[in-house]
């Protein structure tokens, strides 16, 4: 396992990478910075996003040309908002078609994508998806983020429906029992799936979410715009408690309930090895 600490553009030795993480851990920003870096070294990198998910098949088009080069297009309306004329019954066939096209793509074409360690609807299981990407000659970068902050970011996204980009100015009162339930499910799933990833992928690169912005500090404004793409501002402040009405209650959950849950979870996960 290698830790990525260099400033941008990253001098990566390979032309295909998959970003691995959980929702709200910085996978989209990392893929954007990754594409910026690969474009500088190899040129014309295509970001395939989380192409294995049903959501991507609903809003994205992945095409392949006569030279076996892939391209991706987002379907939007006249106001630039995501739109689609597809229905749920169409999505499995579309997803399988995307997988088939990627398997036929020119192996020299630079590509990036994302895969998530959660329970979202996908056309392949996590294990099968990782195996497919390994076969397609992808290397892997895991985005590590403080569990407390990514869980709170998830809570804000679910309650406000602000997921992709843009500043989230909402003040929220956190439902404590709901937060505890989210914490248990998210932690157990993430820890299990990290083991699945390690068993299949083996050696991989790790990047720290909190270091991503500082890696771009030396770039001029035009280069920063290229590197960040649409992810040019944080959705929440560095301290998410600034936007939580019952901040003291939430801090108490992470100070007491969370470590106890981790200890118990470690015993349960260890017993299932």
């Amino acid at each position: 396992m290698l830790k990525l600490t260099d400033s941008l553009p990253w001098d990566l030795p390979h032309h295909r990478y998959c970003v691995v993480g959980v929702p709200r851990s910085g996978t989209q920003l990392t893929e954007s910075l990754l594409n910026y870096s690969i474009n500088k070294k190899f040129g014309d990198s295509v970001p395939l996003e989380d192409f294995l998910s049903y959501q991507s098949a609903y809003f994205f088009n992945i095409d392949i040309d006569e030279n076996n080069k892939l391209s991706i297009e987002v379907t939007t309306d006249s106001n630039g908002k995501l739109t689609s004329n597809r229905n749920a019954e169409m999505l499995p066939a579309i997803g399988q078609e995307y997988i088939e096209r990627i398997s036929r793509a020119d192996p020299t074409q630079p590509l990036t994508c994302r895969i998530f360690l959660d329970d979202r609807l996908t056309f392949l299981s996590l294990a099968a998806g990782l195996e497919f990407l390994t076969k397609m000659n992808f290397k892997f970068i895991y985005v590590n983020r403080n569990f407390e902050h990514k869980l709170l970011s998830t809570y804000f996204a679910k309650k406000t429906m602000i997921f992709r980009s843009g500043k989230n100015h909402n003040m929220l009162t956190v439902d404590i029992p709901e937060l505890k339930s989210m914490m248990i499910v998210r932690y157990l799933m993430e820890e299990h799936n990290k083991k699945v990833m390690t068993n299949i992928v083996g050696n991989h690169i790790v990047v720290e979410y909190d270091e991503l912005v500082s890696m771009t500090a030396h770039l001029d404004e035009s280069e920063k715009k290229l590197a960040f793409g649409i992810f040019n501002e944080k959705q929440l402040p560095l301290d998410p408690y600034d936007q939580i009405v019952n901040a003291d209650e939430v801090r108490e959950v992470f100070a007491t309930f969370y470590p106890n849950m981790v200890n118990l979870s470690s015993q349960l996960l260890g017993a299932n090895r």
Side-chain angles (χ1 to χ4, degrees):
M1 184 172 68
L2 300 173
K3 187 173 180 181
L4 186 58
T5 58
D6 299 336
S7 298
L8 263 67
W10 295 322
D11 185 21
L12 297 167
H14 199 61
H15 65 297
R16 287 186 172 184
Y17 285 91
C18 173
V19 179
V20 184
V22 296
R24 321 310 299 170
S25 66
T27 57
Q28 289 179 311
L29 174 57
T30 302
E31 188 180 13
S32 184
L33 301 181
L34 187 56
N35 267 284
Y36 170 80
S37 300
I38 292 176
N39 279 328
K40 291 290 185 182
K41 187 169 185 178
F42 298 100
D44 298 326
S45 175
V46 175
L48 298 176
E49 305 257 349
D50 54 334
F51 72 91
L52 288 173
S53 74
Y54 274 62
Q55 179 176 317
S56 290
Y58 193 73
F59 290 115
F60 294 86
N61 291 317
I62 297 177
D63 291 316
I64 189 166
D65 64 19
E66 65 276 6
N67 297 313
N68 288 334
K69 297 288 189 180
L70 295 171
S71 62
I72 188 168
E73 182 182 25
V74 184
T75 56
T76 58
D77 60 20
S78 58
N79 296 316
K81 293 186 177 181
L82 291 174
T83 187
S84 179
N85 59 4
R86 297 167 180 169
N87 58 53
E89 289 74 21
M90 301 165 63
L91 300 185
I94 292 172
Q96 291 304 316
E97 186 175 20
Y98 289 172
I99 292 169
E100 190 273 333
R101 288 175 181 175
I102 292 168
S103 68
R104 289 194 288 118
D106 181 347
T108 67
Q109 183 179 19
L111 300 171
T112 64
C113 67
R114 304 193 309 276
I115 195 166
F116 289 92
L117 307 178
D118 69 353
D119 59 348
R120 67 187 52 213
L121 285 173
T122 56
F123 304 111
L124 296 175
S125 67
L126 173 64
L130 291 169
E131 289 168 351
F132 171 75
L133 290 168
T134 301
K135 186 177 178 180
M136 294 299 103
N137 201 22
F138 279 78
K139 305 301 181 183
F140 297 86
I141 296 178
Y142 174 73
V143 189
N144 188 46
R145 186 182 185 188
N146 172 280
F147 184 83
E148 181 176 355
H149 283 195
K150 65 188 174 187
L151 191 69
L152 291 176
S153 182
T154 300
Y155 192 91
F156 267 84
K158 288 181 66 176
K159 295 301 181 181
T160 64
M161 300 302 291
I162 298 176
F163 291 99
R164 191 167 171 83
S165 64
K167 193 73 173 174
N168 193 328
H169 297 285
N170 291 275
M171 293 291 296
L172 288 183
T173 298
V174 174
D175 182 297
I176 299 301
E178 182 182 16
L179 178 66
K180 289 179 178 179
S181 297
M182 284 178 61
M183 187 181 293
I184 294 168
V185 172
R186 178 73 170 263
Y187 183 84
L188 287 170
M189 184 180 302
E190 187 175 340
E191 289 303 302
H192 169 74
N193 285 337
K194 279 195 288 187
K195 291 181 180 180
V196 173
M197 177 190 73
T198 301
N199 289 339
I200 293 172
V201 171
N203 288 332
H204 57 279
I205 298 170
V206 174
V207 64
E208 296 291 335
Y209 171 83
D210 290 335
E211 297 175 5
L212 289 174
V213 174
S214 65
M215 291 176 175
T216 68
H218 63 290
L219 298 176
D220 63 35
E221 289 306 311
S222 62
E223 289 296 306
K224 282 182 181 178
K225 186 175 290 188
L226 288 174
F228 281 95
I230 67 170
F231 309 104
N232 57 1
E233 64 176 342
K234 297 178 74 65
Q235 289 187 307
L236 291 173
L238 287 176
D239 184 358
Y241 288 101
D242 290 345
Q243 291 176 217
I244 297 176
V245 175
N246 56 333
D248 289 341
E249 283 186 278
V250 176
R251 286 193 179 97
E252 181 65 19
V253 170
F254 280 100
T256 58
F257 180 83
Y258 175 64
N260 289 332
M261 182 213 68
V262 169
N263 289 335
L264 179 59
S265 299
S266 298
Q267 295 175 36
L268 293 173
L269 289 169
N272 289 323
R273 286 176 184 169

